[in-house]
Amino acid sequence: MSRVKLTFASILAFTVALPTLVTANADDLSEQVRNLLSAFHETYAIPGATVSYALPDGSVGDAAVGLADAEAGIAATPNTRMLAASVGKTIVGALVLALESDGVLSRSDLVADYLGGEDWFDALPNASTVTVGHLLTHSAGLPDHVHLEGVAQRMLDAGANGVFEPEDAITFILGRDPLFEAGRGWSYTDTGHLLLGLVIEAASEADFFDLVSARFLVPIGLDATTSSVTPALADLAVGYTIEDNVFGLPIRTNDEGGALLWNPAIEWTGGGFISTSHDLSYWGDALFTGEAINTPHLERLLDAVPVHPDAPDILYGSGVAIYANTPLGPVYGHGGWVPGYVTSLRHCADHGITIAFQINTDAGIVDDSTDLVPALEAALADLLIRAVTQE
């Protein structure tokens, strides 16, 4: 159910009222970020939100406003965790590049080399021509099971009733016509990322989440980031959605004890993680400054394809959206959405600033009725860049 919002270029559309005095003093800057977040909290009537930012000097700042559980009156804090949704694709992409550095697999490998023996594989669109790189960049020509009619509800029901297997989702696209020849277009597909997870496990002969933990979470110190493979997740904020949503969920998507009313295991390598904004900003900084992998990876990470012929400056690399020409210079990152939660991760390359935020509602986002996400992205970037520039 994750999806990417390729909207950072819309920063041009926003004029944000910010204080005249912007300072890089750590305490003052943290207060200004919190004040900005509070203004968005009030204007957009969101339950709660957290923000974290990593600056070029290595410092990380955090802010939180509102409620992690509106009914219980529990405040959101920087330690509040939420589902990261498709931002997890940045981790999947990085893992593929790390395995490529180790010679375990290559982006040019045919997916058939790893999954061709599965009895369902030949019914996969473009089965004989799709490569690992095509899956990474959403250029495989595969439909997205999430957006097929009735599938989202069926997936939620299946996940709630038992253990989810990625093949349960892949089945929905078998026998369908490809959207285009592999490598000849772009179309976002969570199904492709589930296939990528199967490739990773087949090539490495190891569990995907074990690999991520050993490669990234433990060495980088992302202590609040874990797999989201069960409805009961510690320190999870309650997620709120809209009435009459397509998933048939109540507005409060968690039970009284805080457990989700659906099983996030259905995301697997399409998302797959619960995290904090603090961990995500730290992760983004490590990934986009070249520290996450002990071999050169930025060039491969940013080896990208255009998402639309009329938008040559918006591209997609190895699990990362790329905005090549914004008023702030190149911006890298990913957005994420699942019922009740929205996440954003952005790195302003020319300024060395990484920004992450999480919101525990998808109201206004799932129905595209507000500009909350791009407006907050733009306002935070403007504030932080002005502060760093004054140093």
Side-chain angles (χ1 to χ4, degrees), residues 48-90:
T50 62
V51 167
S52 184
Y53 52 91
L55 301 180
D57 63 3
S59 62
V60 177
D62 304 296
V65 299
L67 298 171
D69 184 332
E71 290 74 23
I74 299 173
T77 75
N79 295 322
T80 297
R81 300 203 299 169
M82 304 188 202
L83 298 180
S86 280
V87 172
K89 289 182 172 68
T90 63

Side-chain angles (χ1 to χ4, degrees), residues 2 16 18 27 34 66 68 92 127 153-154 168 190 205 216 220 237 244 261 281-282 288 312-313 326 359 391:
S2 302
V16 183
L18 295 174
D27 292 337
R34 192 185 189 285
V92 177
Q153 182 63 59
R154 290 164 64 188
D168 296 338
D190 278 291
E205 298 183 341
F216 303 130
I220 297 175
D244 301 321
L261 298 173
S281 69
Y282 204 75
F288 296 122
D313 291 333
T326 81
I359 302 169
E391 288 185 325

